[in-house]
Amino acid sequence: MHDLQCESLSKRFGAYTAVNSVSFNVPRGSFFSILGPSGCGKTTLMRMIAGFEEPTSGDIRIKGQSVLSTPPNKRPVKMVFQHLALFPMMNIGENIAYGLRCRGENKADITRKVAQVLDRVGLPGTEQKQVSQLSGGQKQRIAIARCMVLEPDVLLLDEPLGALDLKLRERMKIELKQLQHQFETTFLYITHDQSEALLMSDNVAVMNAGQFEQIGSPQELYNDPKTGFVAGFVGDSNRWPGRALSVADGKVRVALDGGGEAIATAGDDRIAAGSTVELFVRPEVLSVGPGAENRLEGTVESLLFNGASSRILVRAQGGNLIEVGQAVMDGTNRVQPGARVDIGWSHGHGRCFSVSR
């Protein structure tokens, strides 16, 4: 069963197409994210689902029923905005009760429902507190509680962590996922931050220039990207231009523009001998030392310490800059700037995509 279905959804503003024939289904009770750079159309897409923008074409169905003719306040969806839009002149209980009062519910039911939802978001007994007394994370939970007290079929979240500092944002990723499981409500989340999408989501749609490049689980997008855009946007990758020398059995032999050759898995079926390609290799799959199927020689330029995300930067002989992951900075594999090293990887850890020039 699907709580949300979008079919061939498009939105044009004059000659500009913001969303171009997008189709997807969101399973009931799942956490679905739309990931893409600024300007790719993801906010326009969400605004159409919420009813704030009218689609140029296509259909939006919630639990099987089209909502195209349903005004925003009557749709079974609620939206959490980046800046939360809490009412500063109201206390927490009044903020959460606002939608219930607009719906005409009686005072006793409102009091009961506000207390219940506050308990579920971990802030029981805070009805009389002022919004100004809340921390950033507490404000996030109140904004979600204000929506969830109305029992929507789908909760829309428009980059709600964007205004938080880094440490609080990291903690709220986990809290949002826990809240989604607790309420068992379908979450549709949009973000330009890949770590948010990968950590919280059951499925992610990667959006670029008004279209979806790929929909899949975080693991599928990371380990099996279907386009060069997805390979470059989801996770960190070394990205080297080159030319395909030969293609056979799903493998591509590539002459790198900066010098050297490599064998990689073909990422699409448009690659032919002589075509322009890009090779993607993630830093964590690279090893230091001889014996690998693919090998580039270089000089260590610098060590970039960032805990588990630490890197070393190696300048290959042909000029390409290589980022190598954390493992090579530990124990006997530790290297220093200026050292000559061999960087290696297997063909299965490299993905090659065709490039139109």
Side-chain angles (χ1 to χ4, degrees):
M1 296 293 294
H2 300 295
D3 269 350
L4 173 65
Q5 296 168 283
C6 292
E7 187 174 292
S8 301
L9 202 60
S10 295
K11 179 62 178 180
R12 290 187 293 274
F13 297 95
Y16 174 68
T17 301
V19 177
N20 188 6
S21 193
V22 164
S23 297
F24 65 103
N25 299 321
V26 181
R28 182 166 298 174
S30 66
F31 198 123
F32 189 99
S33 289
I34 300 173
L35 171 67
S38 297
C40 72
K42 56 187 186 293
T43 296
T44 300
L45 176 58
M46 181 168 281
R47 286 177 60 82
M48 286 192 287
I49 296 168
F52 303 140
E53 295 282 356
E54 184 177 348
T56 304
S57 60
D59 194 14
I60 301 167
R61 294 192 295 275
I62 297 176
K63 289 193 172 177
Q65 300 297 313
S66 177
V67 295
L68 288 185
S69 59
T70 305
N73 62 322
K74 299 295 184 181
R75 294 189 182 191
V77 302
K78 296 301 170 189
M79 192 165 182
V80 178
F81 299 92
Q82 180 173 345
H83 297 290
L84 306 183
L86 296 175
F87 302 122
M89 74 292 296
M90 299 181 184
N91 63 30
I92 290 174
E94 290 167 339
N95 262 280
I96 296 173
Y98 180 78
L100 297 172
R101 291 201 307 270
C102 291
R103 229 161 46 177
E105 298 203 17
N106 65 63
K107 187 174 181 180
D109 284 344
I110 290 174
T111 300
R112 175 179 55 82
K113 289 181 179 181
V114 169
Q116 286 177 342
V117 78
L118 278 172
D119 187 60
R120 295 187 73 178
V121 298
L123 293 170
T126 58
E127 286 91 338
Q128 300 305 314
K129 275 194 172 185
Q130 299 300 311
V131 172
S132 60
Q133 295 177 273
L134 302 177
S135 68
Q138 289 172 330
K139 290 177 181 177
Q140 292 285 342
R141 283 185 273 167
I142 294 303
I144 291 172
R146 186 173 62 177
C147 293
M148 297 308 300
V149 77
L150 298 171
E151 299 180 320
D153 291 331
V154 180
L155 182 64
L156 309 176
L157 300 104
D158 184 4
E159 306 215 38
L161 307 185
L164 303 180
D165 63 66
L166 178 60
K167 198 158 188 74
L168 179 55
R169 193 160 64 241
E170 292 300 313
R171 188 170 78 244
M172 284 304 301
K173 293 176 190 176
I174 298 171
E175 288 198 16
L176 272 178
K177 183 65 173 175
Q178 291 173 327
L179 285 171
Q180 190 266 331
H181 275 302
Q182 185 178 349
F183 282 106
E184 298 181 335
T185 298
T186 300
F187 277 25
L188 181 65
Y189 189 96
I190 69 170
T191 181
H192 65 275
D193 186 327
Q194 55 166 300
S195 67
E196 291 179 11
L198 295 180
L199 181 66
M200 295 187 291
S201 307
D202 299 308
N203 284 288
V204 181
V206 181
M207 193 170 190
N208 180 36
Q211 296 179 305
F212 283 176
E213 296 262 341
Q214 185 176 347
I215 301 175
S217 69
Q219 295 85 352
E220 289 169 340
L221 296 176
Y222 191 86
N223 296 317
D224 190 22
K226 299 301 184 185
T227 69
F229 180 84
V230 175
F233 193 77
V234 177
D236 296 326
S237 285
N238 292 289
R239 184 172 184 166
W240 303 313
R243 179 172 55 86
L245 298 174
S246 62
V247 184
D249 300 325
K251 297 180 183 179
V252 185
R253 189 162 63 93
V254 182
L256 301 176
D257 284 359
E261 293 185 7
I263 298 174
T265 299
D268 62 64
D269 56 10
R270 295 183 294 129
I271 301 174
S275 62
T276 301
V277 296
E278 280 189 314
L279 174 61
F280 294 83
V281 184
R282 298 201 183 276
E284 67 268 21
V285 305
L286 296 172
S287 61
V288 174
E293 180 181 13
N294 295 306
R295 185 173 64 88
L296 291 176
E297 298 177 2
T299 302
V300 176
E301 285 202 348
S302 58
L303 309 180
L304 306 177
F305 181 77
N306 187 25
S309 301
S310 297
R311 298 281 190 267
I312 65 171
L313 295 183
V314 177
R315 182 71 64 180
Q317 285 185 341
N320 284 321
L321 192 62
I322 306 171
E323 290 190 34
V324 186
Q326 163 74 14
V328 300
M329 297 183 68
D330 297 330
T332 58
N333 286 330
R334 190 172 181 86
V335 294
Q336 297 296 329
R340 300 284 295 176
V341 293
D342 287 341
I343 303 299
W345 70 97
S346 70
H347 82 271
H349 286 146
R351 193 60 60 94
C352 195
F353 292 94
S354 57
V355 176
S356 298
R357 287 186 179 175

